[in-house]
Amino acid sequence: MANITAVASANLGTSLTRDAFANVRKCVSLFGAVSAIVLGTVAAMALTHHQATSFMWVRGGILLAVAPLLRRYVTKASEGSYQAFDRVRTLATIMPVALVAVDLVPGLCPAWYAVLQGLSALALVAVAVITRGTALKAAFPEK
């Protein structure tokens, strides 16, 4: 375990690794921004007496709450935490699939909601791709 940490720390200083983490941070921030827009839109819809179901409120709130958590994991990963890196990589892979799958359930949410959630999922897809790229694979070799 100590050997993996030492290898990861040695490779974290490269410009490719720093750039990859900067891009991951941007994508996570985009995910958070879109999540805030979704929740704000749900609030505006509710205030104007349009459809705003409890599903939309709860899911919007949960996804907005996940964004700072992901950001914290990215920060820890950029400091050398393999566990945080693995969590970011795993969440960025699973969450877009779950978001899209739930949005495809007929009648669960309006089309505008599904589209905005799809946009946030795209930001996480980019995170999944970047965390599987060569720069971060070199920084965090497989166990």
Side-chain angles (χ1 to χ4, degrees), residues 13-143:
T14 69
S15 63
L16 288 175
T17 303
R18 285 191 305 271
D19 290 347
F21 274 120
N23 288 331
V24 168
R25 278 188 202 91
K26 288 176 189 173
C27 291
V28 169
S29 295
L30 178 60
F31 169 76
V34 173
S35 296
I37 290 168
V38 168
L39 197 56
T41 304
V42 171
M45 298 290 286
L47 289 172
T48 58
H49 305 292
H50 288 87
Q51 178 189 14
T53 65
S54 58
F55 167 80
M56 294 163 59
W57 279 104
V58 170
R59 183 173 179 195
I62 289 171
L63 292 178
L64 183 57
V66 166
L69 180 67
L70 276 173
R71 181 70 181 218
R72 192 171 97 210
Y73 287 151
V74 171
T75 300
K76 286 184 176 190
S78 69
E79 294 168 352
S81 170
Y82 178 81
Q83 184 179 20
F85 173 73
D86 191 47
R87 285 181 181 166
V88 169
R89 186 172 53 178
T90 301
L91 287 171
T93 303
I94 294 170
M95 284 180 62
V97 174
L99 286 169
V100 171
V102 171
D103 287 341
L104 292 177
V105 174
L108 193 56
C109 58
W112 67 265
Y113 190 86
V115 168
L116 287 176
Q117 292 293 311
L119 289 175
S120 70
L122 286 177
L124 293 179
V125 168
V127 172
V129 169
I130 295 167
T131 56
R132 284 167 173 71
T134 55
L136 295 183
K137 276 189 176 181
F140 295 99
E142 297 294 323
K143 288 186 174 186

